[in-house]
Amino acid sequence: MKELHAIIDNYELARQAGEALALATVVHVEGSSYRMPGARMLVQQNGRMTGAISGGCLEGDALRKALFAIGQKSNMLVTYDTSDDDVTLGVQLGCNGIVHILFEPIDFTNPRNPVELLKACVDGERQPAALVTLFSLQRAVPQMGTVFFNKGAQSQVYLTKAELLKNHLEEHAKLAIESQQSFTGSLRINDVHYQAFYEFISPPISLCIVGAGNDALPLLAIAKSLGWQVTVIDGRESHLTKERFPSADRLLLRQAADALSQTTIDPQTAVVLMTHNYQYDKMVLAELLKTKVGYVGCLGPKKKLVRMLDELHEAGNHLTAQDIARIYGPVGLNIGAEAPEEVALAIVAEILAVFRSANAGFLKDQAGGVHKRFKDGSLLPKAGESVLEKSDQIAATNFTCSLNMPTDA
């Protein structure tokens, strides 16, 4: 999400300066790749690049392709085969993958250009969204590009004359939001075969640090470096100051009973209890269990958390297995952390692993690739989600319509 916001920020600066732009997006991957579909890079006419589409091996040539697309004022699809050690690009990289990248020159006069649709997905309320990009592996046909977004009650399609296609895209975009996963489907327009990349875009991780002690400082720093939204909550006015936490998005001076007031707690929210005040942490934990919070971390020994849960149960709080599964204590991955900065790193890594449904083990011990996929190459849903079969079925379904529409509709 931090990368997307950087792209949007530089898009706005370039628009003010009247500087031409192109957006490069990884839309399809065969085999192994450093970045997955949805990775983006904004290329300015002066050569500045924001974001990344690879580990650095493709950016140089992608710059040239982006400038060519700007000059031609048309979308273009470029394929990079990094599995061949004899090619100029990707020599000796061993990536063993084929990466398809879509280049879209940006028309500032078009209120529905690709970056504007991207902005619509990430701006405003914290709601999941889906972005749809149409591309064809047939080189001689027009590349439609980023054409649709859906977020809550909002949706907008660039292909204004294709109502039937809009309905189809909206149905599948809602599936991406429902399943919280991206996938690729197939369709035909005027007898031309297209791929539709339905990209799920979740709200950024929101972190609430409950406790304004010194050990909260490195946790804030690391979380902000990842682009997370961070709120620090504490009841001590002497600790909770802008001078101590200058990069925090919000500072909330609250007693335990109303610690969560004026705070949005949703499934993309992580809360870490670290006040070093047992009663304060316990009261906040009791309120958190009434919310849809995605992660609760409790600093301190396991016996502290067990005692908290026992006392909450004795006080009449019904704790379900789902409640217990959301609580992590002692907080953080087991990386041998000792210093506050190391503990903060372990906490952030655990939060990321939970929200990405990763096992947080050593990659060298993992069988197969780093990224789990559908049969069509898109990412798999999270473990245990019932949408897998439905998503896989739709991703493999061809949609045929005989639309008599211009490609620039």
Side-chain angles (χ1 to χ4, degrees):
M1 188 60 70
K2 180 180 181 180
E3 190 174 65
L4 293 185
H5 281 292
I7 286 174
I8 291 170
D9 289 344
N10 283 325
Y11 162 83
E12 295 292 355
L13 292 174
R15 179 167 64 175
Q16 295 172 13
E19 185 177 1
L21 297 171
L23 184 67
T25 305
V26 177
V27 292
H28 191 61
V29 170
E30 302 169 52
S32 178
S33 175
Y34 185 82
R35 298 297 303 268
M36 296 300 293
R40 289 178 175 82
M41 181 174 71
L42 186 72
V43 179
Q44 299 175 220
Q45 198 167 29
N46 64 5
R48 180 177 181 178
M49 296 179 286
T50 306
I53 52 173
S54 74
C57 54
L58 304 181
E59 274 69 10
D61 188 73
L63 169 61
R64 293 187 286 272
K65 295 295 193 299
L67 295 178
F68 180 78
I70 291 173
Q72 295 295 308
K73 297 183 179 180
S74 64
N75 298 344
M76 57 185 290
L77 187 76
V78 177
T79 299
Y80 295 96
D81 188 347
T82 62
S83 63
D84 186 353
D85 286 344
D86 292 330
V87 298
T88 304
L89 294 166
V91 174
Q92 305 299 323
L93 290 175
C95 292
N96 296 317
I98 300 174
V99 185
H100 302 275
I101 298 175
L102 181 68
F103 293 87
E104 300 174 88
I106 302 302
D107 178 5
F108 292 118
T109 66
N110 177 13
R112 291 171 293 188
N113 71 53
V115 182
E116 290 293 338
L117 293 183
L118 190 62
K119 283 175 59 181
C121 288
V122 302
D123 287 351
E125 296 183 4
R126 288 176 53 83
Q127 289 184 313
L131 194 66
V132 183
T133 303
L134 297 180
F135 64 96
S136 176
L137 299 180
Q138 299 175 232
R139 302 300 175 191
V141 304
Q143 300 294 334
M144 293 193 180
T146 307
V147 298
F148 183 82
F149 92 94
N150 182 266
K151 180 179 181 180
Q154 303 179 68
S155 66
Q156 195 170 91
V157 65
Y158 175 57
L159 302 171
T160 54
K161 298 180 182 179
E163 189 65 28
L164 179 61
L165 180 58
K166 176 183 177 180
N167 293 339
H168 173 77
L169 297 181
E170 185 168 30
E171 175 187 352
H172 288 65
K174 288 180 178 178
L175 175 61
I177 294 173
E178 175 191 335
S179 65
Q180 300 184 31
Q181 294 296 330
S182 302
F183 60 89
T184 302
S186 300
L187 55 90
R188 286 185 179 274
I189 302 174
N190 295 344
D191 294 327
V192 177
H193 179 78
Y194 281 93
Q195 298 291 324
F197 174 45
Y198 301 93
E199 179 184 4
F200 171 68
I201 299 178
S202 67
I205 293 175
S206 175
L207 172 64
C208 289
I209 303 175
V210 182
N214 290 338
D215 50 0
L217 298 172
L219 180 57
L220 169 66
I222 297 176
K224 290 303 296 181
S225 73
L226 296 177
W228 295 2
Q229 298 172 350
V230 183
T231 298
V232 184
I233 303 171
D234 201 294
R236 298 167 293 181
E237 189 172 0
S238 59
H239 286 62
L240 195 70
T241 66
K242 192 64 177 177
E243 290 72 25
R244 298 189 70 229
F245 299 94
S247 63
D249 295 282
R250 291 201 304 167
L251 300 178
L252 298 179
L253 185 64
R254 298 283 189 275
Q255 295 305 312
D258 65 344
L260 302 181
S261 63
Q262 299 181 351
T263 301
T264 299
I265 304 293
D266 58 33
Q268 279 293 111
T269 301
V271 180
V272 179
L273 305 175
M274 52 192 309
T275 65
H276 302 279
N277 181 318
Y278 178 85
Q279 293 300 330
Y280 193 110
D281 285 354
K282 185 179 73 171
M283 290 182 68
V284 176
L285 177 59
E287 292 302 311
L288 283 171
L289 294 177
K290 302 174 185 177
T291 72
K292 295 182 179 181
V293 66
Y295 171 100
V296 180
C298 185
L299 188 69
K302 191 167 187 175
K303 62 182 181 181
K304 171 189 172 183
L305 176 59
V306 171
R307 178 186 168 192
M308 279 185 181
L309 295 176
D310 286 343
E311 291 180 1
L312 290 177
H313 179 72
E314 292 170 0
N317 294 276
H318 177 62
L319 304 179
T320 67
Q322 184 179 14
D323 290 333
I324 302 301
R326 292 184 292 168
I327 305 173
Y328 293 79
V331 66
L333 296 183
N334 183 8
I335 60 173
E338 294 287 346
E341 293 79 8
E342 296 170 346
V343 172
L345 178 63
I347 293 173
V348 170
E350 180 176 71
I351 293 171
L352 189 61
V354 169
F355 283 118
R356 297 284 174 84
S357 298
N359 61 17
F362 293 111
L363 287 177
K364 71 173 186 177
D365 297 331
Q366 180 171 310
V370 174
H371 303 285
K372 296 179 181 179
R373 307 165 184 251
F374 281 130
K375 289 183 293 185
D376 71 337
S378 56
L379 297 182
L380 284 168
K382 298 175 183 178
E385 289 189 339
S386 62
V387 299
L388 170 58
E389 182 177 348
K390 185 177 180 183
S391 297
D392 199 21
Q393 177 184 358
I394 292 182
T397 299
N398 288 325
F399 173 74
T400 303
C401 62
S402 299
L403 294 176
N404 183 20
M405 68 171 196
T407 55
D408 60 348

